[in-house]
Amino acid sequence: MDLNKVVLFAANRGYALLSSRKALIQFFLDKGWQVVLATADDDDVKELVALGAVLEPVQFRRGGFSLLGDLTAARRLREIMAHWQPSLVHLFHAKPVIMGTLAAYKVLGDQARVVTTITGLGHAFIQGGFIAWLASAGYRRALPKADRTIFQNRDDKKLFLDKRWLSEDKSSLIAGSGIALDRFVYRDRSNNAEDSPVLIMLGRLLNQKGMPEFLEVARQVKTIKPKARFIWAGEEDAVHPDAVDMAMLRSQNDIDYIGRLDDVKPLLYEADLLLFPSYREGVPRAIMEAAATGLPTVGFDVPGVREAVSKGESGFLVQYRNVEQMTACVLLLLEDKALRLEMGKKANSLAKEAFDISAVQDAYLDIYRELGVSI
């Protein structure tokens, strides 16, 4: 199959491409391909442009429906595809997947191979109602027109297949986006202070990431271990309909919010436990990175999270939104140092076995080749 050597990657924001797909983008650049990025014009994407990729700015309104904003983004994608005529299109996140697949079908026809990745089912599916219905209708219309859809966890794949939004032969499972294991080394925490443990959460400031539960667990734990520190690191997302009330966050005294970190490793190395009360994920990068450093996780037994935690081995998974169970598991690990350290070692072993980003990249490349792309 003789194709034009232009590949288009589209995602909600530059961070998603920089954090998980930088090596993939570099691979195509090294092979002499023109790499086009359809995403937000933010600081993260500038690093990829410095490598040689071309940015075509698109503003995707995340977390809800916006008639004007969504129509503008869809038209912009059609313009980009018409201009660049890519032979390979890879789309990430709900709106780029739905809009981008339909745009490619209309503009490029059979000349391009279209791959989509369902990175997780976030606000729309958690919230339910009209937004969930609208997202479902979009997937149902768009995905049959893609050449392959990649799922990051088994629950999402099963949901889409059960609803017949696409066929089994057009679906693949690649667990998570992977992490660069050489960046996150194992840390021996056996000498950490016992009376002032550090519990962390990495994630955007959204309620669906578990902010209400994180606050309540912190409040309960501090009645028993008053010197425990609960730290939340992640960016604000004020325009998102599920954004955390910042006035509420500033008024409480049980957790420390430290904003987005350019490098999460120092915080991971300082921590004793990852408390991850998110309601639903693809496969969370935070858990994978924490595991690589030898940090156990306590989270809800929900799609995506259960892919990243070996239940009872590398951490605890508790009933969805059950704060009492979550608090009990946190206290157990804080009070049983030997168990906490052993779970951390098993988490590190799991990371080495399952979270290597190079294996994820190889799996992506294999799919491109299966579809006839010469790389």
Side-chain angles (χ1 to χ4, degrees):
M1 185 178 182
D2 186 17
L3 295 174
N4 187 30
K5 294 178 70 172
V6 178
V7 56
L8 170 67
F9 293 102
N12 280 340
R13 54 188 184 144
Y15 175 76
L17 297 175
L18 177 64
S19 63
S20 302
R21 286 99 200 178
K22 181 180 178 180
L24 189 63
I25 289 168
Q26 186 66 66
F27 173 88
F28 277 97
L29 290 170
D30 291 343
K31 292 290 185 179
W33 282 60
Q34 178 69 69
V35 177
V36 180
L37 310 177
T39 190
D41 186 1
D42 54 30
D43 290 340
D44 293 305
V45 80
K46 289 178 172 60
E47 185 172 334
L48 298 174
V49 171
L51 296 177
V54 173
L55 171 64
E56 289 282 8
V58 184
Q59 191 65 46
F60 297 101
R61 186 180 184 276
R62 292 178 285 152
F65 173 67
S66 169
L67 180 60
L68 179 59
D70 292 345
L71 287 175
T72 300
R75 182 177 67 249
R76 180 80 177 111
L77 284 172
R78 291 194 297 271
E79 293 171 351
I80 294 168
M81 292 181 187
H83 175 76
W84 289 99
Q85 295 290 307
S87 56
L88 174 62
V89 176
H90 197 152
L91 309 162
F92 304 88
H93 306 127
K95 288 188 178 181
V97 163
I98 294 169
M99 297 175 184
T101 301
L102 295 175
Y105 180 77
K106 180 175 182 179
V107 174
L108 303 174
D110 293 335
Q111 79 178 49
R113 297 294 173 259
V114 178
V115 178
T116 66
T117 294
I118 306 300
T119 55
L121 302 178
H123 180 72
F125 282 81
I126 293 170
Q127 190 74 13
F130 173 70
I131 298 300
W133 176 87
L134 193 64
S136 301
Y139 284 129
R140 184 170 59 250
R141 183 182 175 199
L143 292 185
K145 296 176 172 59
D147 295 288
R148 187 70 56 87
T149 294
I150 299 168
F151 295 90
Q152 294 195 326
N153 66 64
R154 291 164 290 180
D155 295 279
D156 290 351
K157 181 180 179 183
K158 183 178 185 302
L159 174 65
F160 278 54
L161 293 179
D162 287 349
K163 290 184 175 293
R164 299 183 180 180
W165 292 345
L166 78 165
S167 57
E168 175 74 48
D169 64 313
K170 283 193 169 187
S171 67
S172 297
L173 178 65
I174 301 175
S177 301
I179 59 171
L181 292 175
D182 59 344
R183 291 191 61 239
F184 298 90
V185 299
Y186 176 81
R187 180 179 178 84
D188 180 5
R189 296 176 171 85
S190 58
N191 293 322
N192 283 18
E194 290 297 301
D195 64 337
S196 54
V198 177
L199 301 91
I200 66 169
M201 168 63 182
L202 306 176
R204 282 188 294 157
L205 277 186
L206 304 178
N207 288 301
Q208 69 194 44
K209 292 294 184 181
M211 176 59 80
E213 290 76 15
F214 192 81
L215 279 166
E216 182 58 23
V217 172
R219 186 189 67 80
Q220 293 187 22
V221 169
K222 280 175 172 285
T223 64
I224 299 171
K225 291 187 172 290
K227 292 185 179 180
R229 294 181 59 206
F230 286 77
I231 302 173
W232 186 300
E235 65 182 312
E236 295 182 41
D237 198 349
V239 300
H240 198 288
D242 194 45
V244 168
D245 182 343
M246 292 304 296
M248 176 279 298
L249 187 59
R250 295 188 187 99
S251 68
Q252 59 75 43
N253 298 312
D254 292 318
I255 73 170
D256 296 320
Y257 170 60
I258 60 175
R260 178 183 171 182
L261 302 176
D262 292 331
D263 185 359
V264 299
K265 293 194 296 294
L267 181 62
L268 288 172
Y269 295 152
E270 179 187 4
D272 296 286
L273 182 66
L274 177 69
L275 177 57
F276 197 85
S278 179
Y279 301 169
R280 188 178 189 119
E281 295 282 332
V283 175
R285 164 177 294 275
I287 296 180
M288 293 189 287
E289 293 175 345
T293 72
L295 202 62
T297 295
V298 176
F300 292 134
D301 191 359
V302 295
V305 177
R306 63 173 66 108
E307 301 282 338
V309 178
S310 180
K311 190 173 184 179
E313 298 289 330
S314 67
F316 287 120
L317 296 176
V318 305
Q319 184 180 20
Y320 175 54
R321 301 194 75 172
N322 191 321
V323 172
E324 287 69 30
Q325 283 187 10
M326 180 165 277
T327 302
C329 289
V330 167
L331 286 171
L332 173 60
L333 287 175
L334 294 184
E335 293 168 353
D336 191 336
K337 178 179 179 180
L339 176 61
R340 187 174 72 247
L341 295 176
E342 180 61 25
M343 281 191 162
K345 291 177 181 177
K346 290 180 178 178
N348 175 256
S349 296
L350 178 63
K352 292 176 180 177
E353 294 169 5
F355 302 153
D356 185 359
I357 196 170
S358 62
V360 174
Q361 176 179 309
D362 289 344
Y364 277 146
L365 295 175
D366 286 343
I367 287 174
Y368 301 155
R369 295 183 181 107
E370 287 175 19
L371 297 176
V373 180
S374 300
I375 49 177

